[in-house]
Amino acid sequence: MTTNGWIQIALFCAVVLALVKPLGAYMTRVFTGERTFLSPVLAPVERGLYRVAGIDARHEQTWLGYGLAMLAFHVLGFLLLYAVLRLQDVLPFNPMGQSAVAPDLAFNTAASFVTNTNWQNYGGESTLSYLSQMLGLTHQNFLSAATGIALAVALIRGFSRASAKTVGSFWVDLTRCTLYVLLPLCIVYTLFLVSQGMPQTLGAYVDATTLEGAKQTIAVGPVASQVAIKMLGTNGGGFFNANAAHPFENPTALSNFVQIVSIFALGAALTNVFGRMVGDERQGWAILGAMTVLFVAGVAVTYWAEADGSAVLNSFGLTGGNMEGKEVRFGIVASALFAVVTTAASCGAVNAMHDSFTALGGLIPLLNMQLGEIIVGGVGAGLYGMLVFVVITIFVAGLMVGRTPEYLGKKIESREVKMAMLAILCLPLMMLGGTAVATVAAAGLAGPANAGPHGFSEILYAFTSAAANNGSAFGGLSGNTLFYNSLLAVGMLVGRFFVIIPALAIAGSLAGKKTLPASAGTFPTHGGLFVGLLVGVILIVGGLTFFPSLALGPIVEHLAGAAGQTFSTGG
Amino acid sequence: MLNQLRPALVLLLALTAVTGLAYPLAMTGLAGAIFPAKAAGSLIERGGKVVGSSLVGQTFTGADYFHGRPSATTAADPADASKTVPAPYNAANSSGSNLGPTSAALAERVKGDLDALKAENPGRPVPVDLVTTSGSGLDPDISPDAALFQVPRVAKARNLPEDKLRDLVAGQVQGRTLGLLGEPRVNVLALNLALDDMAKR
């Protein structure tokens, strides 16, 4: 570990924190329907869209109506993406003549992008046409991100409104998020990425003759426009197989820094939107505070583990940390930081291969996802995931003092706690249940590329990443099989919708309640005590649920590696 | 749910047209106009022929060139399309080795490369990036140490003084961005092109 490394980490935190207030203020204006500096251009477009779609922008929906609208939109989006992938061989923008995507892979990829997971069983440059990348993946990157943010805003309205029946209009939230927030940011961001060397072309792959006379085919494409939304929308699905480790998908140290900032930017700013909409910005900062504590702890462990390197390779006299699967232009610190950020948020882009991380360096990304990606988290999804934990924390605090728990003047009662538990429990069910099935089924055991505990970690990582809607992988696992394509797709769908629907139900139930004035007995939820309690509840729930699985994978592997033991496949 | 169908369908199609077609196509036009060379992939031409991209690594095996890092990329086996064969720096199929820290295969590979490099330059410790594969398999860079490590071999093969090559490497080192971000590095293709230019003079 070096001083420069810690300065890079500190600079990252400072830049993200500096963006929270301006972005939060702007997004609050967007979602409360106020005018913004883009309104003169975008308001007529917005009105036109509503007219054609038959939407009355003033008509709001109940939590159930909001949820049904969201589901209808997703079903159609899923079908459209599936169709584009299956028909890419006969559709335009296919200069490399890619054939149609196989049914199970198309199902997996469609589920993956609709749920904002972006698991890569597809090979990017070797599987997809440019049309599939643009019309298929780029547009779902926008819409699944906008959906996440819309749902978080609906839940915020649940807290901020009193005796209300409705939580907003899904159509309006979706449209405004896409037009006013995501699209303008992406236009500027794309041009920055191209200025760093990222290709943006519809031309075919380039054939080069290397200095030694060999032929090298270099894949290019409309990369920058997709990467911009892939990062801002915490989608993470790569244009190329190697994702952000590919020099075209992350050309410079600066493009790398901006990419990790952009993973966190909108998610962190949403805590400020929350504070502003409930009328007390400190409430947002408290939540961001809890996220920051967990984040910094994770970065410290992964950076230390990667800088220390693998015990097996170090025994050969190598120094300089674990560089297997990492790029020289990023080095240890920027790779470790990227890995923790991408799994704290539900991004899943990678600039280094997590599969080749040290055992403990890879444990933190795994744990980040198992906790439900609430450390800033996916755009929107992180905030509503964290608010679910807040409900549980408030409930635990209420039990301690024997008082009906309250949060922001709302009584937290049996319905809210039940819904919160439902959302929290569906994740371990899919993560651990899926892993259990795959470790006994022959088709599951055929997947891992590594032997021993690392092979188990590969399976665990896959189901964890799918259910948490992350999309990063221990990439050695051969996931493009009927077994994994289907089972992981189910994990993604359950992990997305069985958290969203209970969260919306909480929103609806809270919106209908009266807001009680704070009294001397009210537990203040903007201070250090609350932040500490929240962090404690998250770690206890996560630790109790997942420690056994981590013990079988990364922890055993760390101890075996320290003892100099290696594992070979087929031996 | 039926009354949700019209807004769902219209919004999906309209927003798809905007974000899935208008946006990437407009960006392609704009990027091509402002940064034409970068948008096309930062290609390098010599004598009218494309010799590579300044951002994508390529294979060097001869003793008279500086070598990049080992690469784990593969290609379809010409004999059996369902299998793959090693194809270093295959820029149409990026990937890492995905070997974990306790993999026997990784340990064997590193040990083998390490012994070969130690034999080539016994006096210096082997830089870690010369025996590890990159995440993409297309890493265009090596560390300054890794370039200096190879100077004796290249000097011998080209019959050039080592001091001259060390100066050449020093001139090719790119520092951290703003003195802060990333790591110092040397672009292998740029270094080898400079080496060829030097030899011609």
Side-chain angles (χ1 to χ4, degrees), chain A residues 386-404:
Chain A
M386 189 56 135
L387 287 174
V388 164
F389 267 105
V390 166
V391 167
I392 299 299
T393 304
I394 293 291
F395 174 64
V396 170
L399 286 181
M400 287 182 193
V401 295
R403 218 182 112 95
T404 308

Side-chain angles (χ1 to χ4, degrees), chain B residues 39-97:
Chain B
S42 308
L43 303 172
I44 300 177
E45 288 188 19
R46 280 288 187 278
K49 276 204 286 193
V50 177
V51 297
S53 161
S54 67
L55 290 174
V56 176
Q58 53 181 250
T59 311
F60 291 100
T61 51
D64 55 342
Y65 278 119
F66 288 92
H67 298 175
R69 303 176 62 191
S71 161
T73 56
T74 58
D77 187 345
D80 176 1
S82 67
K83 294 202 180 93
T84 57
V85 289
Y89 289 94
N90 178 357
N93 190 20
S94 55
S95 86
S97 73

Side-chain angles (χ1 to χ4, degrees), chain A residues 4 8 52 125 139 190 195 200 209-212 216 219 225 241-242 247 323-328 356 450 557 567, chain B residues 6 16 23 28 38-39 50-51 55 57-58 61-62 69 91-92 94 97-100 102 104 109 133 135-136 139 180:
Chain A
N4 168 272
Q8 292 194 42
V52 181
E125 68 269 44
H139 106 268
T190 302
S195 81
Q200 178 71 24
T209 309
T210 68
L211 292 197
E212 292 193 333
Q216 186 184 35
S225 59
N241 189 42
M323 280 300 286
E324 180 71 15
K326 294 189 181 66
E327 304 277 308
V328 167
S356 296
N450 283 273
E557 187 183 20
F567 301 88
Chain B
R6 177 174 165 207
T16 299
Y23 157 73
T28 306
K38 287 175 169 167
V50 177
V51 297
L55 290 174
Q58 53 181 250
T61 51
R69 303 176 62 191
S94 55
S97 73
N98 285 317
L99 295 173
T102 53
R109 193 201 76 206
T133 62
S136 61
D139 197 336
L180 205 60

Side-chain angles (χ1 to χ4, degrees), chain A residues 30-373:
Chain A
V30 168
F31 290 112
T32 48
E34 290 174 48
R35 281 184 69 81
T36 68
F37 71 101
L38 291 170
S39 297
V41 187
L42 293 175
V45 180
E46 192 190 347
R47 278 196 301 272
L49 270 179
Y50 295 155
R51 198 170 310 126
V52 181
I55 295 164
D56 176 359
R58 285 159 307 174
H59 175 78
E60 292 210 342
Q61 295 157 321
T62 62
W63 76 267
L64 202 59
Y66 200 100
L68 286 175
M70 183 269 301
L71 283 177
F73 189 72
H74 275 74
V75 170
L76 293 177
F78 179 91
L79 293 175
L80 176 70
L81 177 50
Y82 184 81
V84 169
L85 293 172
R86 295 283 293 137
L87 297 172
Q88 70 171 11
D89 55 329
V90 293
L91 292 169
F93 296 117
N94 185 12
M96 300 317 294
Q98 307 280 13
S99 52
V101 179
D104 58 328
L105 181 58
F107 170 61
N108 181 284
T109 305
S112 161
F113 276 74
V114 167
T115 58
N116 199 270
T117 307
N118 304 25
W119 172 263
Q120 274 182 263
N121 272 355
Y122 65 91
E125 68 269 44
S126 59
T127 327
L128 298 181
S129 75
Y130 292 166
L131 189 80
S132 294
Q133 297 266 18
M134 297 191 298
L135 191 65
L137 306 192
T138 304
H139 106 268
Q140 270 305 335
N141 280 352
F142 273 98
L143 301 185
S144 65
T147 300
I149 295 176
L151 288 159
V153 171
L155 183 57
I156 295 173
R157 292 198 187 104
F159 283 104
S160 67
R161 292 179 174 182
S163 311
K165 288 197 169 62
T166 59
V167 293
S169 162
F170 175 72
W171 307 123
V172 172
D173 289 342
L174 176 83
T175 308
R176 290 185 69 89
C177 184
T178 308
L179 292 183
Y180 287 83
V181 180
L182 298 177
L183 204 51
L185 283 171
C186 281
I187 290 172
V188 179
Y189 194 4
T190 302
L191 292 177
F192 163 77
L193 291 173
V194 178
S195 81
Q196 294 299 301
M198 202 175 286
Q200 178 71 24
T201 170
L202 295 172
Y205 298 175
V206 180
D207 280 334
T209 309
T210 68
L211 292 197
E212 292 193 333
K215 186 188 151 207
Q216 186 184 35
T217 301
I218 301 174
V220 291
V223 184
S225 59
Q226 182 173 331
V227 170
I229 184 61
K230 156 198 160 194
M231 306 310 286
L232 265 179
T234 62
N235 297 284
F239 191 96
F240 297 106
N241 189 42
N243 209 294
H246 195 296
F248 275 158
E249 204 159 328
N250 199 354
T252 63
L254 185 62
S255 75
N256 184 67
F257 186 79
V258 175
Q259 287 197 26
I260 40 178
V261 167
S262 65
I263 296 177
F264 265 6
L266 294 183
L270 274 168
T271 61
N272 188 253
V273 174
F274 172 71
R276 285 171 192 269
M277 285 178 73
V278 300
D280 181 3
E281 280 189 58
R282 293 176 306 175
Q283 303 290 348
W285 290 114
I287 288 184
L288 191 58
M291 293 170 168
T292 308
V293 170
L294 291 165
F295 171 70
V296 171
V299 171
V301 172
T302 296
Y303 180 30
W304 164 75
E306 293 308 299
D308 210 29
S310 142
V312 174
L313 299 191
N314 287 353
S315 71
F316 302 150
L318 280 177
T319 54
N322 177 21
M323 280 300 286
E324 180 71 15
K326 294 189 181 66
E327 304 277 308
V328 167
R329 63 193 177 284
F330 309 137
I332 302 279
V333 66
S335 303
L337 182 61
F338 198 117
V340 178
V341 170
T342 198
T343 50
S346 82
C347 184
V350 295
N351 79 345
M353 294 303 127
H354 292 187
D355 210 352
S356 296
F357 270 36
T358 60
L360 297 183
L363 181 146
I364 295 295
L366 195 50
L367 181 63
N368 275 344
M369 296 187 294
Q370 291 177 330
L371 295 178
E373 291 169 347

